[in-house]
Amino acid sequence: MGVLRYFPIFSAVALFATADPTPIDVRAKVPGGGQAILRVQFRKGVLVESKPLPKSFLLRRSLGPWAAYEDLSAEGKRWVLEALFPEDEWNRAEVRHLVRWPELESVWLMAALFTGHGQNYDKLEHANPKNPEKLSAKDLWRIPQDLLSPELGGSGTLPGYHQP
């Protein structure tokens, strides 16, 4: 009976230890005025408050209060990435991405956001052989132009987009 008495305590500890990290909300200025909330959420990717966005940022209207990253136009996606990751460097050869939220970012999410498909994570790891899969703040990840999604100015060829 003594074991049964302690079981609920261990269950509560296990639940606490596996809780998802709190989402991060960032307010960003929208071109033409106003602000929108950008949310980075563990295992759900990036969501954007849709109402304040210009029509040119959305692939379709009437999405509800939030738009998923994949529902954004190329212009909208680039705006989101620049707002969420202002320290990233964009140049002709590559994007140099600095990890900002290691508890929410993953190699899969980086691949999804920058290359157009999360399944490119292995190619992204191959392009960054010295980086560990477990991310830390300020880790520098290179997204070469040949992996970068065509809608972001790259020559990546894998179609489709899937967030975690």
Side-chain angles (χ1 to χ4, degrees), residues 6-27:
Y6 295 108
F7 182 73
I9 293 171
F10 292 121
S11 294
V13 170
L15 286 174
F16 179 74
T18 60
D20 288 346
T22 303
I24 298 290
D25 286 348
V26 173
R27 288 195 175 275

Side-chain angles (χ1 to χ4, degrees), residues 105-112 118 121-122 124-125 132-133 135 141:
E105 291 183 62
S106 65
V107 179
W108 182 282
L109 180 63
M110 278 190 282
Y121 76 93
D122 57 337
L124 195 54
E125 286 179 331
E133 191 172 346
L135 304 180
W141 283 77

Side-chain angles (χ1 to χ4, degrees), residues 6 31 42 55 108 134:
Y6 295 108
F42 186 68
K55 288 180 183 179
W108 182 282
K134 174 110 173 90

Side-chain angles (χ1 to χ4, degrees), residues 31-91:
Q35 290 189 341
I37 298 172
L38 313 175
R39 178 171 290 162
V40 181
Q41 193 166 354
F42 186 68
R43 294 190 181 149
K44 295 196 185 208
V46 174
L47 301 170
V48 183
E49 185 181 20
S50 61
K51 188 175 180 182
L53 296 180
K55 288 180 183 179
S56 64
F57 279 19
L58 296 169
L59 294 177
R60 57 186 178 269
R61 266 300 192 210
S62 69
L63 295 170
W66 294 93
Y69 183 79
E70 63 264 23
D71 293 327
L72 301 175
S73 66
E75 182 184 8
K77 288 176 183 176
R78 179 69 184 254
W79 171 77
V80 165
L81 293 174
E82 289 176 354
L84 287 177
F85 308 111
E87 295 179 343
D88 287 4
E89 295 176 27
W90 293 72
N91 60 52

Side-chain angles (χ1 to χ4, degrees), residues 140-162:
L140 176 64
W141 283 77
R142 295 176 45 256
I143 298 96
Q145 195 269 344
D146 65 336
L147 286 181
L148 192 63
S149 167
E151 56 189 359
L152 297 176
S155 61
T157 57
L158 196 64
Y161 175 85
H162 294 46

